[in-house]
Amino acid sequence: MEKKTVVTEKVPLQTLLEEDGILRSPALAPLVTFPLEVVVPEVRHQTPAVGQRATRPDSRLHGLGQTRYIDDMYFPGMLFARIKRAGIASAHIKSIDTSEAEAMPGVIAVITGRDVPCNSFGPSLKDQPVLADTRVFHAGDGVAAVAAISEQIATDALDKIKVEYEPLTPVLDPLESLKLETPGVHAPSANIYGSKVIKKGDVAKGFAESDYIFEGHFRTQMVEHVPLEPHATIAMWDANGRVSIYSTLGRITLGRADVARTLGIPMSRIRIIATIVGGNFGGKNEITTEPVLALLSKKTGRPVKEVFTRSEEFIASTTRHPLIMDYKTGVTKQGKILARQIRLVLDGGAYCSWSETTLGKACILSAGPYNIENLHAEAFVVYTNKTMTGAMRGFGAPQVCFAYESHMDDIATALGIDPLEIRLLNAFEEGSISPTGQMLQSVVVKESLLRAAERFGWNTDGKASTNGNAQGNTKSNGNAITAGKGNGVAKQLPAHEQATHGPAAHEPAVR
Amino acid sequence: MVNVSIKVNGEMRTASVPPETTLLRLLRDNFNLTGAKLGCDVGDCGACTVIVDGLPVNSCLMLANQVDGREVLTIEGLATTDKLHPLQKKFEEFGSLQCGFCGPGIIMSAKALLDENPAPTVMQIRDALGGNLCRCTGYAKMIEAIQAVANGSIEPVASKSA
Amino acid sequence: MRPFEVYAAKDSNHAVALLAQHTATSKVKVIAGGTDLLADLKFSAHSPDVIVDISRVEDLKGLKITDEGLNIGALVTHSQIMRSPIIQEMFPALVDAAHSIGAVQTRNLGTLGGNLVTGVPSMDSGPTLIALDALVNIIGSTGRRQLPLIDFFLGPRKTVLKPDELLAEIIIPRQNLGKPTHFLKFGLRKGQALALVNVAASIWIDWDKNVFVAPRIALGAVAPKVIRAPKAEAYLEGRTVTPEAMAEAGRIASTDARPITDFRASAEYRRDLVAVLTKRALEAAYALGQSKR
């Protein structure tokens, strides 16, 4: 982006609104100094669209049942594919015998990892085989694929494929995986395949000055996206050497590059058609079996379709990272946070997928929306022989939110402070500096908290009133107050969150 | 092979299918009615919901043969060429459907509910949708839309301010 | 699903004949509502060769009061139980139990008999019927036999049913018609969840003395099959009705339970649930009795 001399004079918001009452008020050009300063309309005055109900353009077709998802499509001569899953967490593949399956009536083609021109892919690290050929890294790895005239025949054929394994001891615990003496999942590569450290101030000094030091240990579990539409693909290889792939893929450009790499053909010969996706949530951000389907189509000369079974969806697609989170926080008697030390260990599963993105975001957000002068946050992501973890709604933000807010409640309880008070005492405000050194603007954490507290009837004694709930729900909300955020991806985020994508973040803060 | 004759959306349809064919497969593969979706194939997600003899059922859990001679209503049978079904209309107005994959099943469940109980409470609506999963979590707007059809009084925010 | 043959039975005699004919030579399964069977077959490598479809057998669909008591045909669906005026009036607990099964769609398909023959310990139909001393009629090529429902179950997914037999009828004996009963289920969510624990309590009250008479407590998901809580029942028999007595019965019932720890809950948690749910079920059954007095 070209640097320009900067207009420092702010146009009054009211003028802009009067000039154009419908459109979003334009932001002005960036300032010379960093952090970027943008004229942002006051909160809740941004655009008249806020508060309006939006109607989706595709909604009518959905309601009529006329939306064409991949499983609703059929092409003449189409075959159905199924993939044999390893069912073993870690092993050497000694041999794969597909002859019996190939001899079955109705089976048109069988392929294994050896038929894949370049048997590795991945959205960041290329550590994932299309079909495992020599080594199985997790139980959901595909080892062979069958194309047959019906789904049932393809499924039956999987049982006829004989795979001989030499089982290896799997690495299942991320903390074990962290240790140097643990055998590498992808030896000779180390098990730690991503890390991030954020330092601010001096934690040792902060802890020394603190009246109390609290430690908290938090774990979250693996979560599957469970899109209602399972992963599905139709591939059609044509006589010109071009392949058309209908895919439930959210990022087709990226997918095209990965497919080109694995098939060893130029991107110009690959057409990926993104259909309407029946739920993504981050689970369909990368290719899975598209190259396999393309190769089966090439081998048979016919369109080939594959739809994941629900169990494949759980074992062979990406999931949310389980996090092991250690928090240590030094506070004054009044509850002001003076120092915080954090260690995050992300269970990356068998392959990298979007782990680096998740790691970065989890680490940046791990301190919470609080002013902490002395901070040391470190995060590691490790390989284990489990279902790979990748992108899912929030990329690590929900996990750390659970930890820092629970930790905050624990501290408040121990100090006898109202959970709301302790948050108001520490929360970001206009001009606060984020852990990564960015000055924050349009910060409304405290206002939001106060308004939320008012809306659901938070009492000063730290308990939600039983009759304050708008729905008339008589169950107490307990300590259900949180200043953090649990969701949101990439660019369009609440203000305090946008600003965290500062110079230390992997995505440039240019907008 | 078994021969099945079913009245689907008011029209007699016949097919000869293998005995292990489910109603869902019959509708999708033989009758080209792909509105009912295969989400889990074991009766958990409700994406395959259709109405058989007035009752909503998981079409993945019925053999085609079991429906022989009975009457089936699918999502394709709700709208006419010139008019959406009120549920379809309100689901669109309220933005109740996001990815849309659960939509046909949910609308069929809602239709069966309203046929039996024209003025359901929120709890009754929730109970009726208990067998339909939506991972985009659009339940609140679906419930609003169903209420709107039931009593015709709740209008979408957009039309209120217009 | 793998290929199989389907034979549709016209009536129960035909169904029994079909079973007798095919069990000799093939692996046979019976389909009624199909909610369990088809879900199993889709994942199973061992498919039956023959399926006998009894979903159109009208003589197993009755629900009526007879000299024996309340006879419920095995093919009565969970929805039909919920809608039956007789059951709503006499046994609201059975309505609650039926309501706690699956979701609307599966309740419209699934049958009472089908739920019982699965023999899973967490079944939601079992406890209430066992608390009401229900009997079952079994028909087969060798004839008809009757036994208490509690003896119908042998263990997890095991029942006394022979391959050529059908569960035909469930009977709540005449002396228990209208017996105040309450069913409670605790699952991890409200819809479509398996029970961590389910409990049914059934009691008569001698209103002159205000004491428990013929108390029955049945527990699900805490043993290899649905069980009764004999120690808790013995404790209550003839005892004056007090909140303390009901709480104590809950505590004793938790020692009658033999729960296991699995990924859904620990054994300790399940024991706690038994104590609390038993107490609540007794309280509710007592309140029901009072309201009908």
Side-chain angles (χ1 to χ4, degrees):
Chain A
M1 201 170 149
E2 200 184 332
K3 281 196 177 174
K4 284 186 189 167
T5 329
V6 177
V7 186
T8 45
E9 198 186 336
K10 295 178 183 179
V11 179
L13 173 66
Q14 202 48 44
T15 321
L16 291 170
L17 285 175
E18 279 163 13
E19 279 170 8
D20 189 347
I22 297 164
L23 297 176
R24 175 187 286 267
S25 305
L28 293 191
L31 299 170
V32 263
T33 50
F34 200 86
L36 209 68
E37 195 172 324
V38 182
V39 177
V40 181
E42 277 178 47
V43 173
R44 286 180 293 280
H45 288 278
Q46 287 169 336
T47 143
V50 173
Q52 306 275 337
R53 197 183 280 276
T55 312
R56 295 177 60 100
D58 52 0
S59 184
R60 178 166 298 174
L61 293 184
H62 290 341
L64 285 165
Q66 289 178 0
T67 306
R68 291 270 172 195
Y69 301 92
I70 288 182
D71 199 20
D72 302 334
M73 296 179 192
Y74 180 83
F75 295 96
M78 194 163 78
L79 302 174
F80 301 87
R82 275 267 172 268
I83 292 179
K84 186 173 178 72
R85 303 286 167 190
I88 181 168
S90 179
H92 281 299
I93 298 177
K94 290 169 79 178
S95 68
I96 304 178
D97 180 4
T98 60
S99 55
E100 215 180 312
E102 278 169 284
M104 274 177 70
V107 172
I108 310 293
V110 182
I111 62 166
T112 65
R114 283 183 206 148
D115 300 308
V116 184
C118 173
N119 201 2
S120 74
F121 73 99
S124 40
L125 300 183
K126 310 289 179 195
D127 56 357
Q128 190 170 349
V130 175
L131 288 173
D133 45 6
T134 55
R135 179 85 163 78
V136 171
F137 297 106
H138 77 105
D141 270 340
V143 290
V146 177
I149 56 168
S150 80
E151 233 175 312
Q152 186 59 52
I153 292 175
T155 308
D156 291 346
L158 297 185
D159 295 339
K160 303 280 171 85
I161 297 172
K162 302 278 175 279
V163 188
E164 209 182 326
Y165 298 107
E166 183 193 324
L168 300 169
T169 312
V171 181
L172 300 175
D173 181 0
L175 294 181
E176 282 296 313
S177 177
L178 205 58
K179 292 176 185 161
L180 280 176
E181 64 269 24
T182 306
V185 170
H186 289 274
S189 302
N191 278 340
I192 301 175
Y193 63 95
S195 63
K196 191 179 198 74
V197 179
I198 296 173
K199 283 185 183 172
K200 186 181 170 188
D202 182 348
V203 276
K205 185 166 151 278
F207 283 129
E209 288 168 0
S210 300
D211 294 324
Y212 300 104
I213 292 173
F214 293 94
E215 290 190 21
H217 182 73
F218 308 93
R219 295 184 83 125
T220 58
Q221 79 282 30
M222 198 177 267
V223 181
E224 162 59 28
H225 311 79
V226 202
L228 267 217
E229 182 201 22
H231 282 72
T233 307
I234 299 173
M236 290 181 284
W237 199 295
D238 69 22
N240 287 325
R242 291 177 163 80
V243 61
S244 298
I245 301 174
Y246 288 79
S247 173
T248 52
L249 191 60
R251 299 190 169 191
I252 52 170
T253 315
L254 191 93
R256 208 165 155 228
D258 260 345
V259 172
R261 174 192 160 87
T262 53
L263 297 181
I265 60 174
M267 263 174 46
S268 59
R269 294 202 186 172
I270 296 162
R271 184 167 72 128
I272 297 192
I273 299 133
T275 55
I276 288 182
V277 176
N280 177 339
F281 320 124
K284 292 170 180 168
N285 275 1
E286 66 220 76
I287 62 165
T288 49
T289 54
E290 283 81 352
V292 177
L293 275 280
L295 291 169
L296 283 172
S297 177
K298 185 184 183 188
K299 195 165 178 182
T300 59
R302 291 162 72 166
V304 184
K305 181 203 264 189
E306 195 225 1
V307 182
F308 271 22
T309 62
R310 188 49 68 189
S311 53
E312 272 181 306
E313 201 62 47
F314 279 87
I315 62 167
S317 79
T318 59
T319 56
R320 187 191 284 291
H321 289 77
L323 257 66
I324 298 168
M325 299 170 277
D326 295 306
Y327 276 69
K328 183 176 168 189
T329 302
V331 293
T332 65
K333 283 180 189 133
Q334 293 74 34
K336 177 80 191 151
I337 299 174
L338 297 184
R340 176 168 279 181
Q341 196 168 356
I342 302 162
R343 187 185 78 157
L344 310 176
V345 178
L346 285 75
D347 186 344
Y351 308 115
C352 176
S353 183
W354 296 93
S355 287
E356 290 182 327
T357 318
T358 310
L359 172 98
K361 188 151 173 175
C363 193
I364 290 168
L365 297 176
S366 62
Y370 302 111
N371 286 310
I372 302 173
E373 289 305 317
N374 305 298
L375 176 73
H376 183 117
E378 53 185 24
F380 307 95
V381 57
V382 293
Y383 284 126
T384 54
N385 291 108
K386 293 194 281 193
T387 303
M388 73 202 126
T389 48
M392 183 168 180
R393 295 249 139 162
F395 286 95
Q399 292 99 313
V400 291
C401 179
F402 158 69
Y404 60 68
E405 291 304 324
S406 305
H407 193 42
M408 213 61 170
D409 281 344
D410 291 345
I411 296 171
T413 309
L415 294 179
I417 305 175
D418 175 30
L420 177 59
E421 272 321 303
I422 196 169
R423 287 174 170 86
L424 292 174
L425 183 67
N426 291 290
F428 280 156
E429 52 208 358
E430 194 67 24
S432 289
I433 307 294
S434 80
T436 46
Q438 185 162 11
M439 188 193 279
L440 307 176
Q441 288 160 325
S442 284
V443 181
V444 288
V445 181
K446 292 184 183 178
E447 291 82 345
S448 306
L449 276 175
L450 285 169
R451 180 158 302 195
E454 183 195 317
R455 289 259 173 104
F456 68 78
W458 184 267
N459 290 338
T460 44
D461 62 2
K463 289 277 181 292
S465 68
T466 48
N467 57 0
N469 193 304
Q471 271 74 47
N473 185 347
T474 50
K475 282 180 189 162
S476 166
N477 284 297
N479 286 344
I481 190 156
T482 158
K485 65 169 284 294
N487 216 326
V489 192
K491 305 299 187 293
Q492 297 300 323
L493 299 173
H496 91 265
E497 170 87 16
Q498 279 186 5
T500 57
H501 282 262
H506 64 288
E507 289 178 53
V510 179
R511 52 175 67 84
Chain B
M1 299 299 255
V2 291
N3 294 317
V4 284
S5 304
I6 306 178
K7 198 172 195 183
V8 184
N9 301 332
E11 211 178 297
M12 278 310 290
R13 307 285 293 265
T14 55
S16 184
V17 293
E20 67 272 15
T21 309
T22 59
L23 173 60
L24 177 64
R25 294 284 185 190
L26 175 78
L27 292 171
R28 289 176 58 84
D29 299 348
N30 296 70
F31 298 161
N32 274 323
L33 297 169
T34 55
K37 305 295 179 202
L38 192 150
C40 69
D41 215 13
V42 290
D44 280 330
C45 76
C48 66
T49 304
V50 299
I51 297 180
V52 175
D53 289 346
L55 296 174
V57 297
N58 301 108
S59 60
C60 71
L61 291 183
M62 291 191 93
L63 293 177
N65 194 29
Q66 292 182 295
V67 198
D68 186 32
R70 299 171 75 175
E71 208 169 311
V72 177
L73 182 68
T74 73
I75 189 74
E76 289 89 347
L78 292 194
T80 57
T81 40
D82 54 353
K83 206 163 168 233
L84 291 173
H85 186 276
L87 278 166
Q88 292 168 324
K89 190 160 182 296
K90 290 293 176 194
F91 267 60
E92 181 181 331
E93 277 176 28
F94 279 71
S96 306
L97 299 175
Q98 295 178 46
C99 85
F101 204 80
C102 69
I106 290 195
I107 291 177
M108 294 316 281
S109 286
K111 158 113 177 48
L113 169 72
L114 294 181
D115 286 350
E116 191 189 345
N117 177 1
T121 63
V122 172
M123 273 319 290
Q124 285 167 332
I125 296 174
R126 293 168 77 130
D127 189 50
L129 298 188
N132 293 86
L133 302 183
C134 164
R135 282 292 278 178
C136 308
T137 60
Y139 297 113
K141 287 178 176 180
M142 292 172 192
I143 292 167
E144 281 177 28
I146 295 168
Q147 279 181 299
V149 176
N151 55 31
S153 66
I154 300 174
E155 286 298 315
V157 178
S159 60
K160 206 186 278 174
S161 61
Chain C
M1 278 185 289
R2 290 177 160 77
F4 47 73
E5 294 291 312
V6 178
Y7 297 96
K10 295 184 193 75
D11 53 38
S12 55
N13 290 336
H14 187 211
V16 168
L18 282 171
L19 283 177
Q21 182 190 338
H22 292 288
T23 42
T25 51
S26 330
K27 197 175 168 217
V28 182
K29 285 276 183 190
V30 176
I31 188 167
T35 54
D36 272 291
L37 182 72
L38 291 189
D40 278 352
L41 291 190
K42 282 173 185 173
F43 294 125
S44 165
H46 311 288
S47 278
D49 316 301
V50 170
I51 286 191
V52 174
D53 176 10
I54 57 167
S55 62
R56 289 167 202 264
V57 174
E58 291 302 320
D59 56 330
L60 297 182
K61 292 183 179 174
L63 200 162
K64 56 188 178 297
I65 307 261
T66 65
D67 293 342
E68 287 181 294
L70 175 63
N71 292 38
I72 308 172
L75 291 183
V76 171
T77 64
H78 306 301
S79 300
Q80 285 165 344
I81 288 176
M82 287 168 64
R83 284 161 211 231
S84 155
I86 299 175
I87 291 181
Q88 283 172 358
E89 168 62 29
M90 282 188 179
F91 302 112
L94 279 178
V95 176
D96 292 345
H99 194 178
S100 74
I101 295 170
V104 181
Q105 294 96 319
T106 35
R107 292 197 289 269
N108 283 336
L109 289 172
T111 63
L112 179 64
N115 195 231
L116 295 176
V117 297
T118 58
V120 295
S122 63
M123 71 169 65
D124 293 314
S125 302
T128 316
L129 291 171
I130 283 178
L132 288 165
D133 304 323
L135 307 167
V136 288
N137 277 343
I138 295 170
I139 52 173
S141 47
T142 51
R144 175 180 286 259
R145 56 182 176 137
Q146 190 177 68
L147 66 157
L149 175 61
I150 194 155
D151 298 330
F152 179 72
F153 304 116
L154 296 176
R157 293 187 176 273
K158 283 206 184 76
T159 67
V160 299
L161 219 53
K162 297 195 188 82
D164 63 342
E165 284 183 325
L166 276 180
L167 174 62
E169 228 175 12
I170 298 96
I171 302 154
I172 298 171
R174 197 160 183 90
Q175 73 271 16
N176 281 347
L177 292 186
K179 185 174 180 183
T181 307
H182 196 77
F183 171 82
L184 286 173
K185 166 177 174 173
F186 191 92
L188 291 178
R189 60 192 287 267
K190 273 191 183 158
Q192 307 204 82
L194 290 183
L196 294 187
V197 170
N198 52 22
V199 170
S202 182
I203 48 172
W204 289 115
I205 306 291
D206 181 339
W207 294 106
D208 298 331
K209 300 185 196 142
N210 199 37
V211 296
F212 291 104
V213 177
R216 294 285 182 274
I217 294 165
L219 310 172
V222 291
K225 55 181 190 170
V226 182
I227 56 165
R228 273 173 54 180
K231 282 186 275 174
E233 289 175 3
Y235 170 82
L236 286 177
E237 183 72 63
R239 191 170 294 267
T240 309
V241 180
T242 59
E244 293 74 29
M246 296 194 256
E248 182 57 23
R251 273 191 291 278
I252 298 171
S254 71
T255 65
D256 283 318
R258 308 190 299 278
I260 54 161
T261 295
D262 65 8
F263 65 94
R264 287 194 186 87
S266 66
E268 294 75 27
Y269 187 64
R270 285 190 158 104
R271 267 186 215 286
D272 281 355
L273 282 174
V274 169
V276 175
L277 294 184
T278 302
K279 177 180 76 119
R280 289 184 189 167
L282 285 166
E283 286 166 355
Y286 179 70
L288 181 68
Q290 258 181 334
S291 71
K292 286 191 168 182
R293 200 178 155 187

